[in-house]
Amino acid sequence: MTIADEQITEERSEMLARLGLDGQNKASMGRVLATGSIAEATERADGTMEATIRIKEDEVCWDPAILVLPHGGDLELTVINDDKNTHACLLPSNGDQKFLWLVNHSKGRATLRLDGPGYYWYSSPGGNDEGRGLTAAIVVQGEVPPEARLDRPKQPRS
């Protein structure tokens, strides 16, 4: 089943629940992203993940707005600008951010390293794109490695 098929056949609330994005202290910090589409990255045999995000014509939003990675690691991301306007993509990556300039009807690729669980926000910082809604998140699932955990009592999970 492809991501598109899954999005059509599975209700948004059911998919958010299955991925652990519907409540506090699950795969997310809480219910932060309330609008937009959601999709999962595809994992290759070598553990590298891949996904495509796009800006649809005249919509000024990322599709998907939430990209879910099953674990930390390398992500090969294709970014497509189907819009008539020029945009940019400022992406998170361990050690340094990645920047793609996307003229109208163009495509770019970036390899990201996101090795810890959590939310990683990205946007189009040009013009007033962020103010008009061109922000989104990559959610990395998984647990923090033992050596990175704080020395504190076990926290409740719901």
Side-chain angles (χ1 to χ4, degrees), residues 50-56 62 76-89 91 99-111:
E50 63 183 349
T52 299
I53 57 174
R54 68 183 342 116
I55 303 168
K56 293 182 179 179
W62 294 105
E76 291 186 10
L77 190 63
T78 301
V79 184
I80 301 171
N81 179 12
D82 288 331
D83 199 14
K84 296 179 216 167
N85 295 306
T86 297
H87 299 286
C89 190
L91 294 156
F99 181 84
L100 295 174
W101 185 248
L102 300 164
V103 297
N104 49 328
H105 300 287
S106 67
K107 174 169 64 170
R109 292 183 62 89
T111 301

Side-chain angles (χ1 to χ4, degrees), residues 14-95:
E14 291 170 350
M15 187 172 190
L16 288 170
R18 180 176 59 80
L19 294 170
L21 298 174
D22 64 339
Q24 198 76 7
N25 294 328
K26 291 187 179 180
S28 67
M29 295 297 290
R31 296 177 190 182
V32 178
L33 298 168
T35 60
S37 58
I38 181 171
E40 296 175 85
T42 303
E43 188 171 5
R44 297 182 192 148
D46 67 358
T48 301
M49 294 160 280
E50 63 183 349
T52 299
I53 57 174
R54 68 183 342 116
I55 303 168
K56 293 182 179 179
E57 188 172 340
D58 296 330
E59 290 191 20
V60 194
C61 64
W62 294 105
D63 183 32
I66 305 169
L67 177 63
V68 180
L69 278 55
H71 56 78
D74 293 323
L75 170 65
E76 291 186 10
L77 190 63
T78 301
V79 184
I80 301 171
N81 179 12
D82 288 331
D83 199 14
K84 296 179 216 167
N85 295 306
T86 297
H87 299 286
C89 190
L90 184 60
L91 294 156
S93 186
N94 289 41

Side-chain angles (χ1 to χ4, degrees), residues 8 11 32 42 56 61 84 104 118 120 128 143 149 155:
I8 291 169
E11 290 292 324
V32 178
T42 303
K56 293 182 179 179
C61 64
K84 296 179 216 167
N104 49 328
Y120 294 85
N128 188 31
E143 293 293 327
R149 294 184 186 157
Q155 299 297 304

